[in-house]
Amino acid sequence: MVSASVWQVAPPTGVTPQMLVVFAVTLAAVVLFVTEWLPIDVTAIAIMVTLIVLEPWTQISPTDGISGFSSPATITVLAMFILSAGISRTGAVQIVGRKITAFAGDSLDRQLLATISVAGPLSGFLNNTPVVAVLVPVISDVAHKGNTSPSKLLIPLSYASQLGGMLTLIGTSTNILASATSARLSRKYPSLHAFDFFEFTSLGAVVLVVGGLYLMTVGHRLLPERVPPDVAVDETGVKEYLAEFVVDDGSPLVGRRATTAVEASGVDADLLQLIRDGERFTDELDQRRLRPDDTLVIRATSETLGGLDDVDGLVLPGAGEAVDGADRAATDDRSLVHVVVPSSSPLVGQTLRSSTFRARYDATVLALRTRSGAVRDRLDDFTIRGGDTLLVRASAGGVDRLARTRDFVLSRDVGDPDYRSEKIPHAIAIMIGVVGLVALPWELLATVLVGATGIQQLSVVAGFQQDIMVSALAGVVTMVVAGVLGPGELYESVDWTVIFLLAGVIPLGVALERTGAAALAGNAVAASAGFLPDLLVLWVFYVATGLITEVISNNASVVLMIPVAAAAATAIGANPFAFVLAVTFAASTAFLGPIGYQTNLFVYGPGGYRFTDYMRVGAPLQLLLSVVTVLGIALLWGL
């Protein structure tokens, strides 16, 4: 923990070498986050190490550098991931999904209403990232059965989850981190404090209603139908993949011209390259005759690729291993599924070869598509990034394994993979208990009980109220004791990328504050108060935070912007807490692209979206909510 005396040090006047060093580290962190040159969690650890090594300038000791791991925010987020996984493991959300399908029918208005009405409130009490991961196949299935393009529903699903995440303290990891940061800064700014569980529920409800109405009336009209309504949900709007097939020994295709071999398969596919002994051929393919072990690079739709996999003499290399005849016979009952790779997946930064995909998941990658289009390199050697979509052939057991793991988001409903439905009452009761321990007015209940019974000893009830971290950890233990989750499932329930990100950026926020860099930046922004009213300065912080979130991460933007916002508010004589809330809301609602918020990335492949689709729908929504949120903060908390 950081001693209270640290925060009593007045920020230095002018620019100091310490400030410049911290600004340089911050800039380097932003560049690494934007370029993804290193995985996000590795970047976070690099930030931590750099701050410690440069202690004479950053004022971050080794103890301070690793304090992010013991931060209440980090521990609380970790516990909330496990609690959310427990609810998901029971299949409760899938039951809700079936109710959505029954209600929505073929009416787009009802489909949108059901999507927003379920995703929003659920995300207020469960972490919104796993909520979207679970609902993507459900909503895709709703669209398919209702003859609606999934493109019309999946971005609204992601946006609604972000809006709903602002209903309570535990809706997003960003809220929890912002609360912890606000509590830490309260030593310097007395008007700041940790957020109560329902601190901003009233404003969050307004934001959810306004944003939901926008998505239902205007937003869906701005969304193109990237995926035709009559396309099976398995196609997920990905019209073009690139795949590789190897000419097997003894294949009847040997000796035939490469192009005629593809034409003879009877499917609509384009031969782009022939690879032989490491050499690539792209011209005169109609003249080159096939030899054993030649690799054909083919462009086609997912259905076509499935047909090519059945062509005699063409075999599919699975994670670097060729599929022989025995394997082919064993995979006749396998099905095609599309999976989206989230940024938290351990596959990010690996190749299909290095990840041993086939052995790990009992599934074979037919093809891969990146956020920018079909790949043009060897599949085995292509480095996977968050947002990539894999076309996978898997057995029933393999599909079940893919559905359970947090490594992927399946883009279609795969049925009920052995959910613990008998544990639904236990899981729901535990979540109610976690929320109740924090949210109930225990002091008031104690007063009422003592007054009604006259038993003074009942005043002990006033002490039942617990910190959200303690309450969440108690819920985790209870989940295991009740059998909702097994002990081994705790670790796979956690998005470790987020945990390491929090641990790495928290000390960066401390360095910004401790060296006076945050105060310097805050004073620079406060200079705008000379020609802008306080309300517009607040709006500037909201917009700036939203833009920063689009290029780094929501958690990183909160850590960077809250100290600056508090300093700026103090400099202009405004309410620092109002500025902290503006930063929190802006960081938790990223609508301009698929990168700023992971839920946006989850729906990118299944919706067949382009980057510009997010901007087209999200920019008006971001502008609308910036006005609604800033005015709401001013009215409810004052400036």
Side-chain angles (χ1 to χ4, degrees):
M1 299 294 291
V2 181
S3 63
S5 61
V6 169
W7 307 107
Q8 305 304 319
V9 178
T13 58
V15 179
T16 65
Q18 290 83 0
M19 292 180 187
L20 293 176
V21 169
V22 173
F23 281 139
V25 174
T26 302
L27 179 61
V30 170
V31 170
L32 288 175
F33 283 136
V34 172
T35 61
E36 298 182 23
W37 185 66
L38 292 173
I40 291 176
D41 48 351
V42 176
T43 296
I45 300 302
I47 294 170
M48 181 193 310
V49 172
T50 302
L51 291 172
I52 294 173
V53 170
L54 299 178
E55 179 184 359
W57 295 275
T58 63
Q59 301 181 27
I60 298 297
S61 67
T63 301
D64 297 325
I66 64 173
S67 62
F69 284 107
S70 60
S71 166
T74 305
I75 303 301
T76 303
V77 170
L78 183 148
M80 292 310 303
F81 274 127
I82 297 173
L83 293 173
S84 296
I87 295 289
S88 177
R89 191 67 184 83
T90 64
V93 179
Q94 283 72 13
I95 293 175
V96 173
R98 287 194 287 269
K99 300 293 184 183
I100 294 176
T101 304
F103 167 79
D106 58 1
S107 168
L108 177 58
D109 290 338
R110 288 204 304 271
Q111 292 166 1
L112 285 167
L113 176 62
T115 298
I116 295 168
S117 299
V118 170
L122 270 180
S123 297
F125 296 91
L126 300 175
N127 188 280
N128 57 4
T129 298
V131 166
V132 172
V134 170
L135 286 180
V136 162
V138 173
I139 299 304
S140 296
D141 197 46
V142 168
H144 176 54
K145 292 179 180 178
N147 197 34
T148 300
S149 169
S151 308
K152 292 288 189 180
L153 298 179
L154 290 178
I155 276 183
L157 167 65
S158 176
Y159 288 179
S161 75
Q162 293 178 50
L163 298 173
M166 298 311 299
L167 290 174
T168 69
L169 171 63
I170 64 174
T172 73
S173 59
T174 309
N175 295 349
I176 297 171
L177 179 57
S179 176
T181 304
S182 179
R184 172 170 59 80
L185 293 177
S186 65
R187 297 158 181 166
K188 185 173 183 178
Y189 306 101
S191 62
L192 297 184
H193 57 269
F195 301 157
D196 293 334
F197 192 87
F198 295 111
E199 181 88 47
F200 39 74
T201 299
S202 55
L203 179 58
V206 172
V207 167
L208 175 59
V209 170
V210 172
L213 289 174
Y214 166 84
L215 292 171
M216 290 186 62
T217 56
V218 178
H220 75 87
R221 290 183 169 83
L222 300 177
L223 281 171
E225 293 187 356
R226 299 294 185 196
V227 184
D230 58 346
V231 172
V233 69
D234 279 354
E235 294 212 14
T236 67
V238 181
K239 300 179 182 301
E240 181 183 288
Y241 276 105
L242 217 67
E244 297 175 357
F245 291 89
V246 176
V247 179
D248 200 6
D249 289 336
S251 169
L253 300 176
V254 172
R256 301 186 63 176
R257 292 185 177 88
T259 52
T260 57
V262 176
E263 292 169 358
S265 66
V267 297
D268 183 16
D270 296 323
L271 176 63
L272 301 184
Q273 289 182 347
L274 185 149
I275 304 174
R276 177 179 296 159
D277 298 328
E279 187 176 358
R280 295 172 178 265
F281 301 96
T282 58
D283 56 348
E284 298 182 347
L285 295 178
D286 57 338
Q287 301 300 319
R288 299 187 184 275
R289 297 187 180 274
L290 294 177
R291 302 176 186 174
D293 297 326
D294 280 353
T295 298
L296 304 180
V297 181
I298 296 172
R299 179 176 59 202
T301 65
S302 58
E303 286 185 342
T304 300
L305 290 175
L308 279 166
D309 192 31
D310 296 327
V311 174
D312 186 24
L314 286 183
V315 295
L316 180 72
E321 302 171 21
V323 181
D324 59 25
D327 289 334
R328 181 181 297 281
T331 60
D332 285 343
D333 61 343
R334 295 195 167 202
S335 56
L336 290 178
V337 292
H338 294 75
V339 295
V340 180
V341 181
S343 57
S344 59
S345 172
L347 265 70
V348 173
Q350 296 192 54
T351 64
L352 292 178
R353 188 193 309 276
S354 65
S355 65
T356 60
F357 183 94
R358 189 181 182 199
R360 183 185 299 186
Y361 302 103
D362 187 27
T364 304
V365 176
L366 268 70
L368 185 150
R369 184 179 177 87
T370 69
R371 297 195 300 254
S372 57
V375 301
R376 294 294 186 266
D377 298 315
R378 295 296 304 268
L379 294 184
D380 280 354
D381 300 323
F382 184 82
T383 301
I384 299 172
R385 297 190 305 159
D388 288 348
T389 303
L390 307 180
L391 178 64
V392 175
R393 183 183 289 278
S395 64
V399 171
D400 183 70
R401 186 178 303 177
L402 291 169
R404 289 191 195 183
T405 179
R406 292 180 57 89
D407 298 352
F408 304 105
V409 178
L410 266 68
S411 58
R412 72 172 180 89
D413 197 345
V414 295
D416 295 337
D418 192 24
Y419 291 121
R420 297 175 185 141
S421 55
E422 73 280 2
K423 298 295 183 180
I424 290 178
H426 302 76
I428 293 177
I430 291 169
M431 283 301 301
I432 292 175
V434 169
V435 173
L437 283 174
V438 179
L440 286 179
W442 293 104
E443 291 185 4
L444 177 60
L445 287 176
T447 302
V448 171
L449 288 173
V450 171
T453 64
I455 303 175
Q456 291 296 323
Q457 289 82 353
L458 290 178
S459 62
V460 71
V461 173
F464 284 176
Q465 189 160 356
Q466 295 293 330
D467 180 88
I468 182 61
M469 179 186 72
V470 178
S471 179
L473 288 174
V476 168
V477 174
T478 310
M479 283 267 187
V480 175
V481 172
V484 178
L485 285 173
E489 294 175 318
L490 299 182
Y491 304 97
E492 63 187 41
S493 300
V494 178
D495 187 340
W496 292 104
T497 297
V498 173
I499 300 303
F500 278 93
L501 174 62
L502 293 177
V505 299
I506 285 174
L508 180 57
V510 174
L512 283 167
E513 185 63 28
R514 189 174 294 183
T515 61
L520 181 69
N523 288 333
V525 178
S528 64
F531 53 89
L532 291 177
D534 292 353
L535 188 65
L536 282 182
V537 177
L538 182 66
W539 180 81
V540 167
F541 264 100
Y542 183 101
V543 173
T545 303
L547 294 176
I548 290 173
T549 300
E550 295 297 339
V551 296
I552 52 175
S553 78
N554 48 341
N555 291 318
S557 65
V558 157
V559 170
L560 295 178
M561 292 299 292
I562 282 183
V564 178
T570 301
I572 65 176
N575 177 11
F577 191 69
F579 279 65
V580 168
L581 284 178
V583 168
T584 303
F585 269 77
S588 294
T589 50
F591 305 130
L592 300 182
I595 307 301
Y597 211 92
Q598 182 153 274
T599 60
N600 291 344
L601 202 58
F602 284 173
V603 302
Y604 182 79
Y609 295 119
R610 300 174 184 171
F611 272 54
T612 53
D613 294 334
Y614 292 86
M615 180 70 71
R616 180 185 303 177
V617 182
L621 178 59
Q622 194 94 348
L623 182 61
L624 172 64
L625 292 184
S626 71
V627 175
V628 171
T629 304
V630 168
L631 289 178
I633 291 173
L635 290 173
L636 295 173
W637 288 275
L639 292 179

